[in-house]
Amino acid sequence: MKYGYFDQASREYVIDKPDTPAPWANYLGSPAYGAIISNNAGGYSFVKSGAAGRIIRYRFNEQDRPGRYIYLRDEETGDYWSASWQPVGKPLDQYKSVCRHGTGYTRIEADYKDIHSQVSYYVPHSTPEGAGADHEVWKVKITNNGKTPRKISCFGYAEFTCESFYEQDQVNLQYTQFITRTYFKDKFILQTINENCLNAVNESRVETRIFALAGAKVASFCGDRANFLGKYRDYGNPVSVEKGRLDGTLNYNMNPCGALHTAFELAPGKSAEFVFLLGQKRESQGNELAARYEDTTLPDREIAELKTYWHKKLDNLKVTTPNDNFNNMINTWNAYQCFITFVWSRAASLIYCGHRNGYGYRDTVQDIQGIIHLDPEMALDKIRFMISAQVNHGGALPLVKYTHNPGHENKPEDESYRRETGSPSYRADDTLWLFPTVWKYIAETGNSALLEEVIPYADFGEDTLFNHLKKAIGFSLNNLGIHGLPAGLHADWNDCLRLGAKGVSVFVALQLYYAFEIMIRLAKHKKDTATAKEMAELKERFGKIIEERCWDKDRFVRGITENDVTVGKGGDPEASIWLNPQSWAVISGFADEKRGKAVLDLVFKELNTRYGARLMSPSYRKHAFDGALALLFNPSTKENGGIFLQSQGWLILAEAFLGRGARALEYYLESCPAAQNDIADTRLMEPYAYSQFTESTDSPFEGRSHVHWLTGTASTVMVGCVEGILGLRPDIDGLCLAPSVPSDWKSFTMEKVFRGSKLNIKVNNPDGRECGCRKLTVNGTVMEGNYIPASILKPANEIIFDM
Ligand code: GLC
């Protein structure tokens, strides 16, 4: 069953069956003001922080309620419905709904009994002052498509939280229900919080929110949720909508809301247009905002501005391959998700409530990789920020607070940091992600001067970026476990591996091996021969240990516990093969081609399923070692042998590095959301967004996917496709082209912006190869090999790559 389709030209996903198997969401806004909205207008908004800045309420793990509701009522018959199918939920044989999720906006259209409604939800890209806007807009247009005049009432409803910290709002009712008030101010409902106390101290500190109506007259209002809904009613049948009038009650204690009613008569073919506005605003700002949107054409311009902003960014790489799902995801949806994940980390979604109030170190350093090819400047800001969250001894703050203050932060050694963030100690992998990320940024831009930039440490002191990287290596070297391999510490990439104080991680060993390689490249570029030599020696030393200790007959093992028990040996009753050490043996360059192919063939045989490769197999049931927290999960779920999709991205990359394009694309398509559009009832999740994991073969719900939007999957799959399958592999001096594609890709094109130059690349593959370069021509000149020096690029370049 499918519920919608991709409109590629407008970069929209169109949901034309509103009873989707789960709320299918979109993101609006910017770090100044975030909003999540489902195809049924469920969701919430927050100022800066999902946890601490919540302004409208959402009940998690429930029925996608409440949200940004618009109710319509026929004044003659008393019949009422909502402009999104839910919450009223009219029978779908009488009610048609089309939701278009786009880049930074969502438009929901509905047709019911000859009345057409269209509501566009968005957060403007900028304000007249140029800053990121911190209010949201619900632009409403109601049209009478019938033959007789109609009298229609429209009600907008926003349920304010009682206090901006969402958890308090949900659970500390003996307090939060007694701190808010609402007022009616001609054009809007004004809500105040702790007004009585703060007024006494400092009026300017009173927190206020507004829900306003512009472009139409307020016919009635209500500021109290209980009165809006009525006794034993729900959002689907509010008594005030049923009656056609809001009773004017304002809240004084209990639950506030903003509800505004406007009424109009529509001749056949005529429309009414008006705008609801929501934000954390003072009364005077509310007045200004409402006045600005009296011009009801402003939203059209603001939505056009949002589209221009996003589409321009996404246009920095545009591919046209024979596979439409691939094109669609790389050009729009995977790319858009990479930006969303980059901005919101793992904070706020319909699964994450915003409680993780900061950036997970490894998560964000990896997320950066997903946008480098599209917006290297944006990536650079975050690289600087993350480097400034490295601790002077080389480790990293596992959680970087939104209020991060470089040079002055507490760290896991400090009780206060542990209390505040819940992160008890260092992870083994955190700073090792910096190596591929910094490398990708420098290679994309050529900006190697970044290596000399001085950036503070989180706790004290400062250093050049290059020295920060050296310290990261130092941290791993200072934290070795048994056999001289890197200790697993609190965990490595896998949150569920506690290998013990001296237990060691093979994944980290391979990451470290790769880090040495990147350091050699960077040091050579800097002409720092001493460091290059030191890194080469370390690489060799660790290479030997990996060879001796991390290999078991036909596979790389996953780790060794402090009791010297090897995890992931062939023949083990459970967890005998793990995906990441095999793919990372290839990515890190440790495994040569022959061995790489052999271990990835084993992966294909032992771990692959129709929805992707499992993280390990068999799942833990009875034979888990003491620190195997994956045992907490049901078999084939999350880290316990589920298809952990972030790892699927590395697998795609590794296969592509080996030149096995068919296999790479096969893995890609197994887990590609767009390719699963027509099995929505199996997958449940949005067909335009990646999930964290998919339940696998042990589960009665094989194929069901979970944890939408905010996941490292977005960036690893993007890298797997851009660097892997498409073979766009820049280095400091230019661009290496090495596509790795299935043999039936007989030709394809890529338009890429690279260091300010436009590259129009045409790949010809008449003989149906999977990799290799026969001839590379740039602006008519045949190149040596498959490399384009940046120095020869013109503003626009015609590039022909013959495979
Ligand atoms: C989740 C976490 C991430 C971790 C991964 C594997 O995605 O956000 O930090 O690496 O799980 O355990």
Side-chain angles (χ1 to χ4, degrees), residues 147 169 615 713:
K147 295 197 167 61
D169 176 64
L615 191 62
T713 313

Side-chain angles (χ1 to χ4, degrees), residues 326 652-665 720-729 737-743 745 748 750 763 765 769-772 801 803:
F326 184 90
I652 294 166
L653 184 67
E655 285 289 4
F657 278 174
L658 292 173
R660 301 202 293 191
R663 191 61 74 68
L665 194 79
C721 291
V722 174
E723 203 177 318
I725 294 175
L726 297 170
L728 295 165
R729 299 180 197 161
L737 285 182
S740 193
V741 298
S743 52
W745 282 21
F748 63 98
M750 304 184 265
V763 179
N765 184 21
R769 299 178 170 201
E770 291 193 29
C771 64
F801 187 97
M803 288 180 74

Side-chain angles (χ1 to χ4, degrees), residues 346 352 356 362-363 366 427 429 492-496 615 638-639 644 646 692 710-712:
R346 306 298 175 272
Y352 290 112
R356 210 208 249 188
R362 54 149 164 257
D363 294 348
Q366 291 173 81
R427 296 198 166 93
D429 64 326
D492 65 6
W493 168 85
N494 188 323
D495 276 332
C496 296
L615 191 62
K638 288 191 63 122
E639 284 91 341
F644 214 98
Q646 198 179 351
Q692 183 198 71
L710 303 183
T711 159

Side-chain angles (χ1 to χ4, degrees), residues 439 442-443 445-446 448 451 521-522 525 730-734 755 787 790:
W439 170 256
I442 292 180
T445 58
S448 57
L451 295 171
R521 289 182 215 161
L522 295 176
H525 177 77
D731 67 13
I732 303 179
D733 301 314
R755 304 188 189 175
Y787 190 76

Side-chain angles (χ1 to χ4, degrees), residues 524-686:
K524 281 189 179 155
H525 177 77
K526 274 168 57 71
K527 306 210 170 24
D528 176 350
T529 41
T531 304
K533 185 161 171 277
E534 185 193 347
M535 294 297 146
E537 282 164 11
L538 282 165
K539 189 176 166 200
E540 203 189 321
R541 181 178 123 202
F542 276 84
K544 280 200 185 117
I545 310 179
I546 295 172
E547 190 60 62
E548 277 163 24
R549 301 285 177 181
C550 306
W551 176 253
D552 176 60
K553 292 188 205 79
D554 57 353
R555 67 200 64 194
F556 290 93
V557 300
R558 183 59 179 86
I560 306 171
T561 69
E562 61 181 346
N563 307 323
D564 214 359
V565 174
T566 301
V567 178
K569 285 198 313 304
D572 283 352
E574 291 171 1
S576 60
I577 174 144
W578 292 67
L579 174 57
N580 291 329
Q582 323 309 327
S583 57
W584 270 82
V586 174
I587 293 169
S588 65
F590 180 79
D592 62 14
E593 190 180 333
K594 184 158 167 261
R595 196 188 218 180
K597 286 183 174 163
V599 290
L600 292 196
D601 283 343
L602 188 66
V603 162
F604 190 71
K605 185 161 151 263
E606 302 275 324
L607 293 175
N608 194 38
T609 75
R610 60 186 161 151
Y611 300 114
R614 301 174 61 185
L615 191 62
M616 53 82 153
S617 179
S619 303
Y620 280 127
R621 288 182 165 89
K622 293 204 162 58
H623 300 277
F625 69 96
D626 269 356
L629 302 190
L631 195 57
L632 294 167
F633 297 120
N634 290 325
S636 275
T637 303
K638 288 191 63 122
E639 284 91 341
N640 195 14
I643 300 163
F644 214 98
L645 290 160
Q646 198 179 351
S647 298
Q648 186 86 355
W650 296 322
L651 182 55
I652 294 166
L653 184 67
E655 285 289 4
F657 278 174
L658 292 173
R660 301 202 293 191
R663 191 61 74 68
L665 194 79
E666 182 177 352
Y667 282 130
Y668 175 79
L669 291 175
E670 283 168 359
S671 61
C672 170
Q676 299 184 346
N677 188 55
D678 297 357
I679 54 160
D681 290 306
T682 301
R683 185 171 188 265
L684 302 194
M685 261 190 49
E686 295 92 334

